Amino acid sequence: MNLLAVVDASVKKEGLQDLTMQRTVSSVPFAGRYRLIDFPLSNLVNSGINTVGVFPSYPVASLLDHIGVGKSWDLDRRKNGLFFLPVTQRDGGLSSVGAFAALEEHMQFFTKSAQPYAVVTNGFTINQLDFRDMLNKHIDSGLDITEAVSEGISLKTYILSKNLLIDLIRSHREKKVVSVEDVVNLKKSPYTYNEYEYKGYFAIIDSVQNYFQASMALLDEENRKRLFLPNRPIYTKVKDEPPTRYVKGSRVKRALVANGSTIMGEVVDSIVSRAVYIKKNARIEKCIIMQKCIVEENCNLSYVIADKDVYIGEGVVLNGTPEQPIVLRKGERVTKEDVR
């Protein structure tokens, strides 16, 4: 494949702060068993791209634990493969994709690669982009930079020649531009621009509200069929856990439930991740319950996002709204006394 890939995992999204205090945006859990970065990595691999640089900002531990050396995506190779290239500017991280200051820290990734073209993408947009097709359209256009768009919305993904990317990185201070996205938005001269129209399923996760809405949308079977394509699977880190156990008296309706959980109560219109305990007489509706959470007996939760390792004590009642779901931060403990 003539493309090398940059996955900009350093992008900050203030609207996701409650979910990113201890992780990057790219490592936010999604759809019960995935992380957001699984989608761009899978797209790249499904498009035949085997040279992938992931550029994360701090904190990186969660993302590094998830992707490791890239084995789950067949990117653990002697030649090429996955390169984990952290950005050292701890207080850095822009809200735009392809920040030149970040890429500049790892110039050897670009100068030593043999591929003539580069795709610059992000870790917060969910889609099924075919980069082979996008590259062909880019080459046929004869223009400098191609941007992926859908329904008039930018997917924050760009293809350009590797030499042009290197030139932009080296000259960005002189040209007064900060990122590939910035160059495209400004339509900076003397470069020429092309759009690639993507017609599949997509969601942009840049706020808690968008995250909640995109998650709930996957309870619709038609949306799942549009995103999870048989010939373009979404890969993720493999975890060996037993199937979920549904105890007698439990009730589950229109829910996505990952493996390793124990359901004793009622789950309706919700997403439940791995190794979650929903105890007797607890009811969750329109909720996202992440890995290793415990919901004690007699709880009643609606429109709640419980991050990883959250403990919800007996009898807790929490009711958010579709516009403002309640977010319980990673590791938080909530009791009846806390919500009075």
Side-chain angles (χ1 to χ4, degrees):
M1 185 60 172
N2 290 329
L3 272 172
L4 67 85
V6 170
V7 180
D8 187 350
S10 70
V11 177
K12 307 287 188 182
K13 294 294 178 184
E14 291 185 8
L16 286 168
Q17 184 175 4
D18 284 332
L19 297 176
T20 56
M21 297 183 71
Q22 300 180 53
R23 59 166 75 94
T24 65
V25 172
S26 299
S27 55
V28 170
F30 188 73
R33 63 187 298 263
Y34 302 97
R35 303 289 180 121
L36 292 181
I37 198 167
D38 292 340
F39 295 88
L41 286 181
S42 298
N43 288 346
L44 294 167
V45 171
N46 289 333
S47 300
I49 299 170
N50 58 23
T51 301
V52 179
V54 176
F55 291 74
S57 59
Y58 289 87
V60 301
S62 176
L63 186 61
L64 180 58
D65 176 70
H66 181 68
I67 65 175
V69 295
K71 182 177 181 180
S72 298
W73 298 268
D74 191 30
L75 290 172
D76 56 332
R77 301 171 176 230
R78 289 179 177 272
K79 184 178 180 181
N80 300 321
L82 183 124
F83 297 82
F84 195 79
L85 306 168
V87 179
T88 61
Q89 303 171 57
R90 289 177 180 266
D91 297 325
L94 298 170
S95 60
S96 61
V97 174
F100 296 128
L103 304 185
E104 189 176 37
E105 295 185 26
H106 300 283
M107 282 297 292
Q108 284 190 339
F109 173 70
F110 303 102
T111 57
K112 288 190 173 182
S113 65
Q115 294 84 353
Y117 294 96
V119 56
V120 179
T121 190
N122 63 80
F124 58 85
T125 302
I126 295 166
N127 55 52
Q128 277 279 9
L129 269 168
D130 182 345
F131 293 112
R132 285 192 183 99
D133 189 53
M134 186 175 172
L135 176 62
N136 289 336
K137 297 291 174 55
H138 171 74
I139 294 172
D140 289 345
S141 75
L143 302 178
D144 292 320
I145 304 176
T146 294
E147 175 185 22
V149 299
S150 185
E151 301 173 8
I153 299 171
S154 172
L155 301 182
K156 314 293 187 183
T157 297
Y158 313 92
I159 286 181
L160 64 166
S161 74
K162 184 188 68 174
N163 288 338
L164 175 55
L165 179 58
I166 290 172
D167 178 68
L168 287 168
I169 294 169
R170 287 174 171 166
S171 63
H172 74 276
R173 293 179 181 84
E174 175 189 342
K175 296 181 185 296
K176 308 298 182 187
V177 288
V178 297
S179 67
V180 176
E181 181 182 349
D182 189 36
V183 171
V184 173
N185 288 345
L186 293 172
K187 294 294 186 286
K188 198 75 173 177
S189 61
Y191 311 115
T192 53
Y193 303 89
N194 181 42
E195 288 188 350
Y196 173 78
E197 185 67 32
Y198 166 74
K199 297 180 180 179
Y201 184 92
F202 77 96
I204 297 174
I205 310 299
D206 56 6
S207 69
V208 166
Q209 291 76 16
N210 287 348
Y211 174 77
F212 184 80
Q213 291 166 7
S215 298
M216 292 294 106
L218 291 183
L219 296 176
D220 186 316
E221 184 178 2
E222 288 305 312
N223 286 331
R224 293 198 302 275
K225 287 180 178 179
R226 292 178 63 208
L227 178 59
F228 296 102
L229 305 177
N231 60 333
R232 294 179 62 85
I234 304 299
Y235 302 100
T236 190
K237 181 180 179 180
V238 176
K239 293 190 177 182
D240 296 322
E241 291 176 318
T244 286
R245 185 164 67 102
Y246 299 93
V247 176
K248 185 177 180 180
S250 64
R251 179 174 178 264
V252 178
K253 180 181 179 182
R254 199 170 179 260
L256 297 179
V257 182
N259 54 323
S261 293
T262 300
I263 311 296
M264 303 178 186
E266 184 176 6
V267 178
V268 180
D269 291 334
S270 296
I271 297 174
V272 177
S273 296
R274 296 180 174 102
V276 169
Y277 278 84
I278 310 292
K279 298 196 176 178
K280 290 182 180 179
N281 299 317
R283 186 176 195 276
I284 69 168
E285 182 176 6
K286 301 287 186 182
C287 292
I288 301 169
I289 310 296
M290 296 188 194
Q291 189 175 351
K292 297 182 180 178
C293 288
I294 297 174
V295 181
E296 291 285 2
E297 295 183 6
N298 303 309
C299 289
N300 195 319
L301 313 178
S302 63
Y303 298 101
V304 171
I305 300 172
D307 205 337
K308 185 178 177 182
D309 292 321
V310 164
Y311 174 83
I312 303 173
E314 184 176 356
V316 168
V317 177
L318 294 172
N319 296 303
T321 66
E323 295 74 26
Q324 290 188 312
I326 295 171
V327 180
L328 304 178
R329 293 176 176 176
K330 186 177 179 180
E332 190 172 348
R333 295 179 62 86
V334 183
T335 65
K336 286 195 292 187
E337 289 74 21
D338 297 321
V339 297
R340 283 178 180 172

